[in-house]
Amino acid sequence: MDIIYSTWPWYVAGPLITLTMFLLLKMGKKFGMSSNLRTMCSIGGAGKFADFFKFDWKKDSWNLYVVAGVIVGGFVALQFLTPTAPQINPDVVAKLQELGINSTNTAFLPTELFSLESLLTVKGFAIIIIGGFLVGFGARYAGGCTSGHAISGLSNLQLPSLIAVIGFFIGGLIMVHLIFPLIF
């Protein structure tokens, strides 16, 4: 159990990701999470309303098992394999406390942001709606999400994926250092 509880070093996780990508490439498959939304919308009949959803979703339905595995794996890890919240760097804790987030090192997610009470406020609801739209729009505009571009696209040496990943990092830095302090 110590192996499961501990963080895996790069020399274990990296080759496992490499092996997975090699097998997907050999099978002619692409890895990514945001493409599953398109697949689910197509299954639900969205092709009647937009041509974007008119495609053979059955050839991509295998990736829905990945989504199901992530959900089930996350539930199992939270319920049975996670004894305590991870400890965050003290400098980060101090900066978060300056922004009014005091639940660090006691919860997996800051309760000031992700509790039901916080999400049901006008500010919390607006953040979820606007943030969800921006993430969804960004993933579609970039032609994929961070996992698709950073893992699958870069392993295929695709220049658009490199540009997208650089954009993701720049956007993350702007969010953390400029926008996040304004919101909170």
Side-chain angles (χ1 to χ4, degrees):
M1 288 303 286
D2 289 339
I3 292 172
I4 293 174
Y5 284 136
S6 64
T7 304
W8 290 8
W10 66 268
Y11 53 83
V12 173
L16 288 174
I17 293 171
T18 302
L19 177 63
T20 301
M21 289 311 306
F22 176 76
L23 293 173
L24 288 173
L25 288 171
K26 280 302 223 182
M27 294 186 293
K29 308 284 186 190
K30 292 186 212 171
F31 175 75
M33 295 304 278
S34 64
S35 59
N36 289 304
L37 181 58
R38 181 181 184 207
T39 302
M40 288 186 284
C41 289
S42 295
I43 291 169
K48 297 174 188 170
F49 305 104
D51 289 340
F52 176 72
F53 297 108
K54 290 181 182 175
F55 74 103
D56 183 17
W57 58 265
K58 291 179 182 175
K59 70 179 180 78
D60 291 332
S61 62
W62 69 272
N63 212 7
L64 293 175
Y65 291 108
V66 175
V67 173
V70 167
I71 293 168
V72 170
F75 176 80
V76 168
L78 181 64
Q79 297 300 318
F80 305 110
L81 300 176
T82 313
T84 60
Q87 298 302 298
I88 299 173
N89 184 303
D91 295 336
V92 174
V93 171
K95 287 184 181 185
L96 288 173
Q97 287 175 342
E98 289 174 14
L99 296 171
I101 298 174
N102 298 310
S103 61
T104 54
N105 296 334
T106 61
F108 288 99
L109 296 172
T111 55
E112 294 85 359
L113 302 177
F114 294 101
S115 67
L116 191 56
E117 295 81 27
S118 298
L119 294 176
L120 294 179
T121 64
V122 173
K123 180 180 176 181
F125 190 71
I127 289 171
I128 293 295
I129 295 297
I130 294 168
F133 173 78
L134 290 174
V135 167
F137 176 80
R140 185 68 260 138
Y141 187 72
C145 60
T146 52
S147 60
H149 279 299
I151 298 172
S152 189
L154 289 180
S155 69
N156 286 323
L157 303 176
Q158 295 179 3
L159 180 61
S161 290
L162 178 62
I163 294 167
V165 169
I166 291 169
F168 295 149
F169 275 96
I170 291 170
L173 290 170
I174 290 170
M175 177 61 196
V176 168
H177 293 290
L178 301 177
I179 299 172
F180 192 82
L182 293 175
I183 295 173
F184 301 101

